[in-house]
Amino acid sequence: MGFEQAWLSYQRREVCGIAENITGIYAPLQNPVIKSGAEELQTAFAKIVGTRPVLYSDSECGHNRGSIRLMMKEGLPTEGYHIFEEKGMITVEASDANGILYGAFELIRCLQLGKNLEGINLTKEPVMPLRMLNHWDNMDGSIERGYSGNSFFFENDEILVNERIVTYARLLASAGINATVINNVNVKDSATRLITDQYFESLNRLSEIFARYGIRLFLSLNYAAPMELLELDSADPLDDRVRAWWKAKMKVVFEAVPNLGGFLIKADSEGRPGPFTYNRTHADGANMLAEAVKPYGGLIIWRCFVYNCRQDWRDRKTDRARSGYDNFIGLDGTFLDNVILQIKNGPMDFQVREPVHPLFGGLTKTNQMLEVQIAQEYTGQQRHVCYLIPMFKEILNFHTYVKGTDDTVQDIVSGRTFHQTKCGIAAVANTGNDENWTGHDLAAANLYGFGRLAYEPDLTAEEIAEEWITLTYGKDEEIRKELLFILMNSWPAYEKYTAPLGIGWMVNPNCHYGPSVDGYEYDRWGTYHRADHLGIGVDRSHNGTGYAMLYREPNARAYDTPETCPEELLLFFHHVPYSFVLKSGRTILQHIYDTHFEGVELVDEMVSRYERLKGKLPERIYERTMERFLHQKEHSREWRDQINTYFYRKTGIADEKGRRIY
Ligand code: GCV
């Protein structure tokens, strides 16, 4: 066993009477999504319970003890479901096929978790309308920021359509994910041609597989496609020829791939083309495309990750953190209804700690989506364990004060605050063609967890982790206890032994792996810590770049002074002396020393807890995970020592506790 099916690697489990007695599944099998749900139940029962229920092509079975009935029922919320048991018969009802599919997977989850189905009565509905993955896969098979092998969508400029795609779709659907973008947002070379007839047939086949699992296929689009496909000499969004070109192009694309959901666009960012070339706004660019896809119900998801990546480190006025906000806030209300702005969780770039992006709470008249990253680009690259769901929960629970006092990011991206339906959450994916999908076996918790969180954000990070552990490794108290400890301590540990107090970066340039305190300090990317022998941090208060003032009150006021700023973000917002005293009574410098020693100790504890599982987990899986833990153990020491030594050498002030600093 290598976990080729991840958390769907079913094993025999002890189940209650009702589950054992199921012999038939009744469902309108003519609907391909419902058919998938019914077949999933059949397979799961066969493997988990040991009985293989027969499928019947009708949900009108009257009352039939020992059966499962999947049926459509009007009035339930979109993609939601109701499951109940009555006299030995289980019913899953929903108002759409996706709801039934999710209900079927919920039942399977109950089996895997060993829950009693007798008297089950639960109703669920997804909180986020769009629950999406963004793959950064290139058509040569490589993956930008990919840490689990190569792409399983592309190889040698061809699209792969095979069994792995089916398993992928099953995994996504079982976690509640309903959309995916398969190619990198940096659209170059052959990927620009994905909207030409060269790829339509394969795309269509792919989209049909996805559609059977309730997943809509999206593509990343090259903004300059009319030029790069050598058909026009401009991509000016206000040029009639360009607008006509896109309209004609989209007609052809949607006719050939009718299941397509729309497009994701990275424009005017990190060298990608965009409307700025023509002195046009991002609304001009997005709306041009939105008009072209509108007749087909298509969406344009436009990224707000726009900043100047040719900054001068000497310049203290320009602040990369401000740029997303400054570029988009003035456009609020000018985007067409089928445009969604996709906003990274923080203003920089998926650091281990960042404030929430100020566009959340800033924008009030625009569809918005939250972008997080489960590919652990800056959080250990799936070699270190780092369970990110607790971070995502903090982000979703952040109070923006855009409407009253209770309003959170979750309220905005779920559509509650502004009564929107075109919104949701996307994660930069962490999958590849590694046998276990995610390189590190424990990184699969982020993939599963992301989907579950998007569907049911009120679940706690612990609940999601426990679910994932049991689904993946079976019901065993010791496995549950130790893996839960590891997962729940992994993000705090990583934060402790890497860049301190919200300052971020301090990584090796380009690869973004491993410590290099000054790696980006004199570079062009706008990512500085400004440390000298007296202090550290970036002044983003009203006296500095003014970034803190982009938030609504009372957030702006709190961020604006070091005394009221949340300490975990102190160095993000302020330049302070090393002698600044934190609430713990420790100086900043001592805090840096202490947390770096603590982080490594926590890793040691995680590893020794993992060792207790030897003999309990399948050997191959145990060993390959242990290999990563051993690397993390060593690498966390490298982080600790480089950071501590850097600050010791800058300040000449020794650790109060006399520990070894080089
Ligand atoms: C896909 C960061 C990453 C890039 C990525 C970019 C983005 O800068 O390092 O690899 O490009 O974010 O989100 O567009």
mmCIF file of all heavy atoms in Angstrom, residues 31 33-34 71-81 92-103 126 131 455:
data_model
loop_
_atom_site.group_PDB
_atom_site.id
_atom_site.type_symbol
_atom_site.label_atom_id
_atom_site.label_comp_id
_atom_site.label_asym_id
_atom_site.label_seq_id
_atom_site.Cartn_x
_atom_site.Cartn_y
_atom_site.Cartn_z
ATOM 1 N N ASN A 31 -28.371 10.316 -14.249
ATOM 2 C CA ASN A 31 -27.581 11.520 -13.983
ATOM 3 C C ASN A 31 -26.150 11.095 -13.650
ATOM 4 O O ASN A 31 -25.907 10.378 -12.680
ATOM 5 C CB ASN A 31 -28.192 12.289 -12.801
ATOM 6 C CG ASN A 31 -27.403 13.547 -12.497
ATOM 7 O OD1 ASN A 31 -26.189 13.509 -12.341
ATOM 8 N ND2 ASN A 31 -28.095 14.655 -12.427
ATOM 9 N N VAL A 33 -23.543 12.483 -12.344
ATOM 10 C CA VAL A 33 -22.969 12.842 -11.033
ATOM 11 C C VAL A 33 -23.557 11.943 -9.946
ATOM 12 O O VAL A 33 -22.839 11.420 -9.082
ATOM 13 C CB VAL A 33 -23.226 14.338 -10.714
ATOM 14 C CG1 VAL A 33 -22.640 14.701 -9.365
ATOM 15 C CG2 VAL A 33 -22.649 15.219 -11.814
ATOM 16 N N ILE A 34 -24.865 11.728 -10.035
ATOM 17 C CA ILE A 34 -25.512 10.857 -9.044
ATOM 18 C C ILE A 34 -24.999 9.424 -9.211
ATOM 19 O O ILE A 34 -24.759 8.707 -8.237
ATOM 20 C CB ILE A 34 -27.045 10.930 -9.184
ATOM 21 C CG1 ILE A 34 -27.483 12.376 -8.901
ATOM 22 C CG2 ILE A 34 -27.728 9.946 -8.249
ATOM 23 C CD1 ILE A 34 -28.961 12.620 -8.986
ATOM 24 N N MET A 71 -31.944 10.636 -3.685
ATOM 25 C CA MET A 71 -33.034 11.258 -4.443
ATOM 26 C C MET A 71 -33.011 12.779 -4.444
ATOM 27 O O MET A 71 -32.596 13.417 -3.498
ATOM 28 C CB MET A 71 -34.380 10.728 -3.976
ATOM 29 C CG MET A 71 -34.708 11.002 -2.539
ATOM 30 S SD MET A 71 -36.220 10.135 -2.067
ATOM 31 C CE MET A 71 -37.391 10.852 -3.199
ATOM 32 N N MET A 72 -33.483 13.303 -5.563
ATOM 33 C CA MET A 72 -33.574 14.752 -5.706
ATOM 34 C C MET A 72 -34.804 15.249 -4.957
ATOM 35 O O MET A 72 -35.871 14.625 -5.011
ATOM 36 C CB MET A 72 -33.748 15.115 -7.181
ATOM 37 C CG MET A 72 -32.588 14.724 -8.037
ATOM 38 S SD MET A 72 -31.172 15.761 -7.711
ATOM 39 C CE MET A 72 -31.045 16.586 -9.261
ATOM 40 N N LYS A 73 -34.611 16.369 -4.285
ATOM 41 C CA LYS A 73 -35.758 16.964 -3.609
ATOM 42 C C LYS A 73 -35.601 18.474 -3.653
ATOM 43 O O LYS A 73 -34.550 18.997 -3.251
ATOM 44 C CB LYS A 73 -35.800 16.479 -2.165
ATOM 45 C CG LYS A 73 -37.017 16.948 -1.463
ATOM 46 C CD LYS A 73 -37.118 16.376 -0.081
ATOM 47 C CE LYS A 73 -38.291 17.033 0.638
ATOM 48 N NZ LYS A 73 -38.092 17.076 2.054
ATOM 49 N N GLU A 74 -36.603 19.134 -4.128
ATOM 50 C CA GLU A 74 -36.494 20.591 -4.235
ATOM 51 C C GLU A 74 -36.474 21.240 -2.868
ATOM 52 O O GLU A 74 -36.963 20.682 -1.898
ATOM 53 C CB GLU A 74 -37.675 21.125 -5.045
ATOM 54 C CG GLU A 74 -37.376 21.062 -6.533
ATOM 55 C CD GLU A 74 -38.562 21.450 -7.377
ATOM 56 O OE1 GLU A 74 -39.374 22.254 -6.919
ATOM 57 O OE2 GLU A 74 -38.635 20.904 -8.478
ATOM 58 N N GLY A 75 -35.885 22.420 -2.846
ATOM 59 C CA GLY A 75 -35.970 23.209 -1.608
ATOM 60 C C GLY A 75 -34.733 23.141 -0.731
ATOM 61 O O GLY A 75 -34.585 23.944 0.178
ATOM 62 N N LEU A 76 -33.853 22.181 -0.986
ATOM 63 C CA LEU A 76 -32.633 22.140 -0.179
ATOM 64 C C LEU A 76 -31.606 23.107 -0.782
ATOM 65 O O LEU A 76 -31.634 23.386 -1.977
ATOM 66 C CB LEU A 76 -32.078 20.710 -0.133
ATOM 67 C CG LEU A 76 -32.901 19.750 0.736
ATOM 68 C CD1 LEU A 76 -32.533 18.308 0.450
ATOM 69 C CD2 LEU A 76 -32.710 20.068 2.207
ATOM 70 N N PRO A 77 -30.676 23.617 0.037
ATOM 71 C CA PRO A 77 -29.724 24.601 -0.485
ATOM 72 C C PRO A 77 -28.778 24.025 -1.536
ATOM 73 O O PRO A 77 -28.494 22.822 -1.525
ATOM 74 C CB PRO A 77 -28.936 25.039 0.752
ATOM 75 C CG PRO A 77 -29.359 24.163 1.856
ATOM 76 C CD PRO A 77 -30.529 23.359 1.465
ATOM 77 N N THR A 78 -28.326 24.873 -2.435
ATOM 78 C CA THR A 78 -27.421 24.467 -3.514
ATOM 79 C C THR A 78 -26.247 23.663 -2.962
ATOM 80 O O THR A 78 -25.586 24.096 -2.021
ATOM 81 C CB THR A 78 -26.868 25.738 -4.218
ATOM 82 O OG1 THR A 78 -27.970 26.553 -4.538
ATOM 83 C CG2 THR A 78 -26.082 25.384 -5.473
ATOM 84 N N GLU A 79 -26.034 22.504 -3.539
ATOM 85 C CA GLU A 79 -24.925 21.606 -3.197
ATOM 86 C C GLU A 79 -24.964 21.102 -1.745
ATOM 87 O O GLU A 79 -23.989 20.571 -1.245
ATOM 88 C CB GLU A 79 -23.573 22.259 -3.490
ATOM 89 C CG GLU A 79 -23.333 22.528 -4.964
ATOM 90 C CD GLU A 79 -21.937 23.032 -5.228
ATOM 91 O OE1 GLU A 79 -21.559 24.070 -4.661
ATOM 92 O OE2 GLU A 79 -21.220 22.368 -5.988
ATOM 93 N N GLY A 80 -26.095 21.307 -1.113
ATOM 94 C CA GLY A 80 -26.247 20.786 0.250
ATOM 95 C C GLY A 80 -26.946 19.437 0.205
ATOM 96 O O GLY A 80 -27.342 18.961 -0.861
ATOM 97 N N TYR A 81 -27.112 18.793 1.357
ATOM 98 C CA TYR A 81 -27.784 17.488 1.387
ATOM 99 C C TYR A 81 -28.403 17.236 2.743
ATOM 100 O O TYR A 81 -28.053 17.876 3.744
ATOM 101 C CB TYR A 81 -26.790 16.360 1.049
ATOM 102 C CG TYR A 81 -25.557 16.345 1.918
ATOM 103 C CD1 TYR A 81 -25.564 15.720 3.157
ATOM 104 C CD2 TYR A 81 -24.381 16.973 1.498
ATOM 105 C CE1 TYR A 81 -24.438 15.717 3.961
ATOM 106 C CE2 TYR A 81 -23.252 16.978 2.290
ATOM 107 C CZ TYR A 81 -23.280 16.348 3.524
ATOM 108 O OH TYR A 81 -22.171 16.364 4.323
ATOM 109 N N VAL A 92 -30.522 9.835 1.108
ATOM 110 C CA VAL A 92 -29.717 11.036 0.882
ATOM 111 C C VAL A 92 -30.505 11.872 -0.093
ATOM 112 O O VAL A 92 -30.770 11.438 -1.219
ATOM 113 C CB VAL A 92 -28.346 10.694 0.247
ATOM 114 C CG1 VAL A 92 -27.550 11.969 -0.016
ATOM 115 C CG2 VAL A 92 -27.565 9.729 1.123
ATOM 116 N N GLU A 93 -30.914 13.061 0.329
ATOM 117 C CA GLU A 93 -31.651 13.889 -0.615
ATOM 118 C C GLU A 93 -30.996 15.252 -0.764
ATOM 119 O O GLU A 93 -30.345 15.753 0.154
ATOM 120 C CB GLU A 93 -33.129 13.997 -0.223
ATOM 121 C CG GLU A 93 -33.358 14.447 1.189
ATOM 122 C CD GLU A 93 -34.817 14.369 1.611
ATOM 123 O OE1 GLU A 93 -35.585 13.552 1.057
ATOM 124 O OE2 GLU A 93 -35.201 15.140 2.508
ATOM 125 N N ALA A 94 -31.148 15.801 -1.979
ATOM 126 C CA ALA A 94 -30.532 17.086 -2.283
ATOM 127 C C ALA A 94 -31.283 17.697 -3.443
ATOM 128 O O ALA A 94 -31.989 17.001 -4.170
ATOM 129 C CB ALA A 94 -29.068 16.879 -2.664
ATOM 130 N N SER A 95 -31.097 19.005 -3.616
ATOM 131 C CA SER A 95 -31.826 19.629 -4.727
ATOM 132 C C SER A 95 -31.007 19.641 -6.008
ATOM 133 O O SER A 95 -31.479 20.044 -7.059
ATOM 134 C CB SER A 95 -32.273 21.044 -4.365
ATOM 135 O OG SER A 95 -31.142 21.855 -4.210
ATOM 136 N N ASP A 96 -29.750 19.225 -5.935
ATOM 137 C CA ASP A 96 -28.956 19.107 -7.160
ATOM 138 C C ASP A 96 -28.029 17.894 -7.040
ATOM 139 O O ASP A 96 -27.838 17.346 -5.949
ATOM 140 C CB ASP A 96 -28.160 20.399 -7.444
ATOM 141 C CG ASP A 96 -27.359 20.843 -6.245
ATOM 142 O OD1 ASP A 96 -26.588 20.027 -5.705
ATOM 143 O OD2 ASP A 96 -27.511 22.011 -5.807
ATOM 144 N N ALA A 97 -27.461 17.523 -8.171
ATOM 145 C CA ALA A 97 -26.669 16.290 -8.202
ATOM 146 C C ALA A 97 -25.409 16.402 -7.341
ATOM 147 O O ALA A 97 -25.001 15.437 -6.687
ATOM 148 C CB ALA A 97 -26.302 15.962 -9.644
ATOM 149 N N ASN A 98 -24.785 17.574 -7.327
ATOM 150 C CA ASN A 98 -23.601 17.718 -6.483
ATOM 151 C C ASN A 98 -23.932 17.456 -5.017
ATOM 152 O O ASN A 98 -23.168 16.821 -4.297
ATOM 153 C CB ASN A 98 -23.008 19.131 -6.613
ATOM 154 C CG ASN A 98 -22.054 19.238 -7.792
ATOM 155 O OD1 ASN A 98 -22.113 18.411 -8.698
ATOM 156 N ND2 ASN A 98 -21.189 20.235 -7.780
ATOM 157 N N GLY A 99 -25.083 17.942 -4.604
ATOM 158 C CA GLY A 99 -25.502 17.724 -3.218
ATOM 159 C C GLY A 99 -25.591 16.231 -2.918
ATOM 160 O O GLY A 99 -25.148 15.761 -1.865
ATOM 161 N N ILE A 100 -26.140 15.476 -3.850
ATOM 162 C CA ILE A 100 -26.261 14.020 -3.641
ATOM 163 C C ILE A 100 -24.875 13.384 -3.573
ATOM 164 O O ILE A 100 -24.597 12.540 -2.720
ATOM 165 C CB ILE A 100 -27.094 13.392 -4.779
ATOM 166 C CG1 ILE A 100 -28.493 13.995 -4.691
ATOM 167 C CG2 ILE A 100 -27.059 11.864 -4.703
ATOM 168 C CD1 ILE A 100 -29.641 13.118 -4.975
ATOM 169 N N LEU A 101 -23.992 13.821 -4.475
ATOM 170 C CA LEU A 101 -22.631 13.267 -4.471
ATOM 171 C C LEU A 101 -21.946 13.552 -3.120
ATOM 172 O O LEU A 101 -21.333 12.663 -2.522
ATOM 173 C CB LEU A 101 -21.828 13.895 -5.619
ATOM 174 C CG LEU A 101 -20.378 13.459 -5.772
ATOM 175 C CD1 LEU A 101 -20.295 11.976 -6.139
ATOM 176 C CD2 LEU A 101 -19.677 14.285 -6.861
ATOM 177 N N TYR A 102 -22.063 14.774 -2.639
ATOM 178 C CA TYR A 102 -21.436 15.113 -1.349
ATOM 179 C C TYR A 102 -22.076 14.334 -0.205
ATOM 180 O O TYR A 102 -21.402 13.933 0.743
ATOM 181 C CB TYR A 102 -21.522 16.621 -1.080
ATOM 182 C CG TYR A 102 -20.791 17.456 -2.122
ATOM 183 C CD1 TYR A 102 -21.307 18.661 -2.569
ATOM 184 C CD2 TYR A 102 -19.584 17.020 -2.677
ATOM 185 C CE1 TYR A 102 -20.657 19.418 -3.539
ATOM 186 C CE2 TYR A 102 -18.933 17.768 -3.646
ATOM 187 C CZ TYR A 102 -19.473 18.960 -4.075
ATOM 188 O OH TYR A 102 -18.834 19.700 -5.032
ATOM 189 N N GLY A 103 -23.392 14.107 -0.322
ATOM 190 C CA GLY A 103 -24.072 13.309 0.699
ATOM 191 C C GLY A 103 -23.558 11.878 0.684
ATOM 192 O O GLY A 103 -23.352 11.262 1.739
ATOM 193 N N PRO A 126 -22.773 23.840 1.687
ATOM 194 C CA PRO A 126 -21.454 24.448 1.620
ATOM 195 C C PRO A 126 -21.511 25.938 1.919
ATOM 196 O O PRO A 126 -22.447 26.616 1.501
ATOM 197 C CB PRO A 126 -21.024 24.218 0.172
ATOM 198 C CG PRO A 126 -22.294 24.068 -0.596
ATOM 199 C CD PRO A 126 -23.298 23.487 0.357
ATOM 200 N N ARG A 131 -15.225 26.404 -4.504
ATOM 201 C CA ARG A 131 -14.201 25.732 -3.687
ATOM 202 C C ARG A 131 -13.220 25.140 -4.687
ATOM 203 O O ARG A 131 -13.450 24.083 -5.251
ATOM 204 C CB ARG A 131 -14.884 24.668 -2.811
ATOM 205 C CG ARG A 131 -16.042 25.272 -1.993
ATOM 206 C CD ARG A 131 -16.841 24.257 -1.212
ATOM 207 N NE ARG A 131 -17.530 23.265 -2.023
ATOM 208 C CZ ARG A 131 -18.683 23.465 -2.664
ATOM 209 N NH1 ARG A 131 -19.303 24.636 -2.600
ATOM 210 N NH2 ARG A 131 -19.226 22.498 -3.377
ATOM 211 N N TYR A 455 -15.993 23.810 2.456
ATOM 212 C CA TYR A 455 -17.400 23.387 2.521
ATOM 213 C C TYR A 455 -18.001 23.734 3.890
ATOM 214 O O TYR A 455 -19.112 24.217 3.998
ATOM 215 C CB TYR A 455 -17.496 21.884 2.257
ATOM 216 C CG TYR A 455 -18.901 21.390 1.927
ATOM 217 C CD1 TYR A 455 -19.305 21.212 0.605
ATOM 218 C CD2 TYR A 455 -19.817 21.115 2.941
ATOM 219 C CE1 TYR A 455 -20.587 20.769 0.302
ATOM 220 C CE2 TYR A 455 -21.102 20.676 2.647
ATOM 221 C CZ TYR A 455 -21.486 20.494 1.326
ATOM 222 O OH TYR A 455 -22.763 20.064 1.035
#
